[in-house]
Amino acid sequence: FRIDIPQIIAALDVSVISSSRGEGLTVSVVEGMAMAKPVVSTAVAGNPEFVHDRQTGMLVEPGNMQAMADAMLYLIENPDEAAAIGGRAFEFVKDKVDNRKRSQRFVDLYRSIMQRKGFN
């Protein structure tokens, strides 16, 4: 158990998630993105819903160690691109996990359903 996870993530150049099978959306993905870190993740379970290749992170197939190493090296060797990916990741995750924005999307969805059914 660690209580210094924010400090650890802050010290990272790249956040790497190497899960080999589905775990839902890996919380580590969201944590790294929320701290504007470029993420390299395997394309398992819900991770591809957040990590869009070369937009909000880099995706690799599970078990492909060469692709994982190549993605990590790319980000380390291209710090400007890594920073841009991290910035886009932050904006993406801020929109997707903000409780007020998520709640408003549900309200909007329910209102549109009610309107289609004739309720005002």
Side-chain angles (χ1 to χ4, degrees):
F1 179 77
R2 304 284 307 241
I3 60 170
D4 59 344
I5 298 300
Q7 293 84 353
I8 292 170
I9 295 172
L12 298 176
D13 292 319
V14 177
S15 179
V16 178
I17 294 84
S18 60
S19 302
S20 61
R21 58 183 160 247
E23 306 166 353
L25 172 63
T26 308
V27 174
S28 299
V29 167
V30 176
E31 291 172 337
M33 293 173 81
M35 294 189 69
K37 298 297 176 178
V39 171
V40 175
S41 174
T42 49
V44 296
N47 294 353
E49 293 177 32
F50 274 59
V51 181
H52 303 148
D53 198 41
R54 296 195 182 253
Q55 294 300 310
T56 61
M58 296 183 78
L59 280 175
V60 299
E61 290 303 313
N64 189 338
M65 295 303 127
Q66 187 61 54
M68 179 72 70
D70 290 345
M72 290 187 292
L73 284 172
Y74 176 82
L75 291 170
I76 290 168
E77 292 172 351
N78 296 280
D80 292 341
E81 178 66 13
I85 289 172
R88 289 190 299 268
F90 172 77
E91 291 301 323
F92 179 86
V93 82
K94 181 175 71 169
D95 179 60
K96 296 299 179 196
V97 300
D98 179 89
N99 284 333
R100 286 191 176 123
K101 289 181 181 182
R102 287 176 48 203
S103 296
Q104 187 59 53
R105 282 193 288 270
F106 278 113
V107 167
D108 294 344
L109 174 64
Y110 290 137
R111 281 188 179 140
S112 100
I113 292 169
M114 297 296 286
Q115 287 174 348
R116 281 197 315 257
K117 297 215 176 255
F119 298 100
N120 291 328

